[in-house]
């Protein structure tokens, strides 16, 4: 059997972190088995679904590389297929027309509450099933005819064997009186028509699986394999909220996380491969066979995410990171891009996010002297400036390669009776405007003779 999975978000808001992980698990499982991963937008709730939310979902999935193998299916475009399935169930006897109106339903609910019985009982007593006295052309809904005795067993690929008694399941509505399908029916019909073999989703849908199981049975269709993954909690074990990181995927992009880092981190939220913490998407595909998904809620940890992002920033192409920094920075000098690319391996030793790179590299966007931070200003005494001017003269004939410059610089300091702290700290202040920056020799060699001299001369005026 060829594996086909899907991610089916409702466009009522941003693509949240839990949804992104669900999409990733579906993608990994399909890719591991040489199958197909599809996308469906469940936009039947017209009051809450918006075009902006649809685009936000697509944008988030594009950033992560999880768009799906084919064009996304819009659930709202398939009402005819949903209706056809509901009437097919009528013909098969697995569903029935229910003529109970709003007032009757409310009376049933009130009586059930008074009697201390579930609301489903009236249908089991045939109050609504197979009614023969309904007026001709009276409006009706189509309800699922749930078995009255016994139980349903689902072998869930994550949760294991899960069982529910049929007396706990009601005769749910499949098709409303206005002809619109309910979520339960639409999901089953769409999954069947898309050829979905494995439904991997959050465990908040586990109860839905039992009801959907009987819709599959009522239509005579094969039931897919279900896999219900635990939700994501905050580091304190509480339900994930905005203070924990329950943000849209776009927010993480804006905060400067790389997509490969997000994929790596999300894959480890509730799934493991031994003790492996840092791995590529291809490695995850090779390993993700559907096993080793935890049954308990995963905990979101910003510090861990930053650590993973730091790793992937160090692996990233310097030119790519330079482009991202320039997109978030003011216009720089003509040589800024080249400086950025050359300095990037040094910056990424400490930076964990793109905004941190932006902050570290501000001094590279100056053509001439940078703005001097208050803590660095104290390093530029008159004595220090005198040494800087002598260094500026030395730079006129200094070699330009790292090894040759380092050797010549040490010889010059020896001749002047200076130690690195005597000249290195003022140099760092003059060239970067800060007290903390990469190796001063790296800075000098990368900026080049002309820029170094220009910055020192402007500082020493």
């Amino acid at each position: 059997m060829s594996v086909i999975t899907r991610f089916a978000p409702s466009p009522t808001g941003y693509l949240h972190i839990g949804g992104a992980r669900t999409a990733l698990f579906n993608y990994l499982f399909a890719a591991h088995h040489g199958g197909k991963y599809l996308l469906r937008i469940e936009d039947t709730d017209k009051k809450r679904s918006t075009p902006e939310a649809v685009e936000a979902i697509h944008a988030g999935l594009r950033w992560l590389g999880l768009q799906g193998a084919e064009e996304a299916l819009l659930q709202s475009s398939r009402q005819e297929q949903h209706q056809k399935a509901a009437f097919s169930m009528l013909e098969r006897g697995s569903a029935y027309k229910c003529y109970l109106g709003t007032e009757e339903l409310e009376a049933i609910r009130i009586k059930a509450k008074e009697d201390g019985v579930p609301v489903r009982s009236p249908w089991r007593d045939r109050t609504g099933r197979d009614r023969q006295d309904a007026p001709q052309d009276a409006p009706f809904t189509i309800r699922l005819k749930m078995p009255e005795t016994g139980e349903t067993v689902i072998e869930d690929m994550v949760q294991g064997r899960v069982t529910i008694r049929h007396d706990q399941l009601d005769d749910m509505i499949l098709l409303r009186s206005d002809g619109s399908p309910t979520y339960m029916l639409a999901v089953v019909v769409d999954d069947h028509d898309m050829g979905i073999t494995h439904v991997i989703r959050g465990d908040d849908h586990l109860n839905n699986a039992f009801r959907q199981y009987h819709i599959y049975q009522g239509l005579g269709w094969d039931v897919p394999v279900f896999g219900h993954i635990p939700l994501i909690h905050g580091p304190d074990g509480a339900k994930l909220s905005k203070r924990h990181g329950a943000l849209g995927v776009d927010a993480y992009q804006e905060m400067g996380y790389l997509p490969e880092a997000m994929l790596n981190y999300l894959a480890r939220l509730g799934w493991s491969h031994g003790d492996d913490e840092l791995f590529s998407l291809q490695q995850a595909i090779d390993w993700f066979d559907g096993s080793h998904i935890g049954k308990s809620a995963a905990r979101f940890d910003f510090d861990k995410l930053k650590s993973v992002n730091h790793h992937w920033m160090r692996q990233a192409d310097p030119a790519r990171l330079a482009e991202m920094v320039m997109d978030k920075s003011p216009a720089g000098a003509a040589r800024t891009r080249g400086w950025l690319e050359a300095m990037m391996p040094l910056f990424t030793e400490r930076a964990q996010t793109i905004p941190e790179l932006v902050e570290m590299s501000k001094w590279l966007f100056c053509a001439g002297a940078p703005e001097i931070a208050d803590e660095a200003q104290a390093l530029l005494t008159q004595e220090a400036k005198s040494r800087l001017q002598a260094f500026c003269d030395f730079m006129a004939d200094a070699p330009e390669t790292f090894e040759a410059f380092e050797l010549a610089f040490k010889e010059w300091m020896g001749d002047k009776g200076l130690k690195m702290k005597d000249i290195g700290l003022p140099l760092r202040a003059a060239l970067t405007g800060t007290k903390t920056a990469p190796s001063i020799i790296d800075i000098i060699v990368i900026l080049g003779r002309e820029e170094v001299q220009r910055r020192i001369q402007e500082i020493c005026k």
Side-chain angles (χ1 to χ4, degrees), residues 389-399 405 408-410 412 453:
Q389 288 173 327
F391 176 81
C392 199
D393 294 336
F394 158 73
M395 279 296 295
D397 297 315
F405 176 82
F409 186 33
K410 287 180 179 178
W412 178 82
Q453 289 178 314

Side-chain angles (χ1 to χ4, degrees), residues 109-303:
R109 292 189 183 96
I110 292 173
K111 187 174 188 308
K113 186 175 182 180
E114 291 174 348
D115 295 343
V117 297
V119 177
R120 59 185 169 270
S121 294
W123 281 283
R124 296 291 156 78
D125 295 337
R126 296 294 197 271
T127 301
R129 284 185 174 185
D130 306 319
R131 186 170 176 177
Q132 302 298 319
D133 60 343
Q136 189 175 8
D137 298 325
F140 61 87
T141 62
I142 296 180
R143 288 182 181 271
L144 174 67
K145 190 178 288 186
M146 189 66 68
E148 298 179 57
T149 60
E151 61 185 21
T152 296
V153 178
I154 290 178
E155 298 291 348
D156 192 278
M157 61 183 284
V158 177
Q159 302 296 330
R161 172 168 287 203
V162 190
T163 304
I164 192 169
R165 298 195 315 273
H166 290 156
D167 61 10
Q168 294 181 284
L169 300 173
D170 61 357
D171 290 0
M172 63 183 176
I173 294 176
L174 302 174
L175 200 69
R176 302 181 183 92
S177 58
D178 63 0
S180 63
T182 60
Y183 166 81
M184 291 293 187
L185 175 66
V187 166
V188 169
V189 175
D190 292 345
D191 280 346
H192 173 267
D193 290 356
M194 293 170 72
I196 303 303
T197 62
H198 293 74
V199 175
I200 302 172
R201 57 191 178 184
D203 64 5
D204 52 332
H205 285 280
L206 182 56
N207 284 336
N208 293 344
F210 294 107
R211 292 166 171 81
Q212 290 164 6
Y213 175 94
H214 287 282
I215 298 176
Y216 279 103
Q217 293 279 349
L219 285 163
W221 294 343
D222 291 337
V223 181
V225 176
F226 289 108
H228 290 89
I229 55 181
L231 302 182
I232 301 173
H233 287 177
D236 56 0
K239 183 179 178 181
L240 194 64
S241 64
K242 286 188 176 181
R243 67 186 175 89
H244 293 128
L247 308 170
V249 167
D250 59 316
Y252 291 92
Q253 182 179 7
E254 188 64 26
M255 286 188 287
Y257 294 98
L258 300 182
E260 56 265 43
M262 289 300 301
L263 292 170
N264 184 169
Y265 181 71
L266 288 175
R268 286 288 287 116
L269 273 181
W271 171 77
S272 64
H273 182 266
D275 295 327
D276 294 294
E277 294 283 346
L278 301 168
F279 46 82
S280 67
L281 182 61
Q282 185 56 55
Q283 286 175 305
I285 290 171
D286 293 341
W287 297 335
F288 198 98
D289 60 1
S291 61
H292 306 296
I293 299 175
K295 292 185 180 181
S296 58
R299 296 197 178 194
F300 191 89
D301 185 340
F302 258 119
D303 290 337

Side-chain angles (χ1 to χ4, degrees), residues 98-109 123 131 139-141 143:
C98 177
Y99 295 94
L100 294 175
T102 303
E103 292 182 0
E104 290 175 290
L105 288 171
E106 184 60 25
I108 288 172
R109 292 189 183 96
W123 281 283
R131 186 170 176 177
F140 61 87
T141 62
R143 288 182 181 271

Side-chain angles (χ1 to χ4, degrees), residues 402-421:
F402 184 91
E403 293 80 5
F405 176 82
E406 183 178 34
L407 182 59
F409 186 33
K410 287 180 179 178
E411 291 177 354
W412 178 82
M413 286 192 292
D415 292 342
K416 296 291 185 180
L418 300 174
K419 295 182 179 179
M420 178 59 81
K421 65 181 180 63

Side-chain angles (χ1 to χ4, degrees), residues 75-92:
Q75 192 171 71
S76 61
S77 69
R78 293 179 42 78
Q79 183 164 302
E80 184 178 344
Q81 288 87 343
H82 304 149
Q83 292 171 339
K84 183 179 178 180
F87 281 95
S88 173
M89 292 180 70
L90 279 180
E91 294 175 4
R92 295 173 63 90

Side-chain angles (χ1 to χ4, degrees), residues 373-395:
D374 292 342
E375 66 271 14
Q377 192 72 56
L379 299 171
L380 297 173
T381 63
Q382 283 303 119
E383 182 180 9
K385 288 182 178 181
S386 177
R387 291 172 183 162
L388 287 175
Q389 288 173 327
F391 176 81
C392 199
D393 294 336
F394 158 73
M395 279 296 295

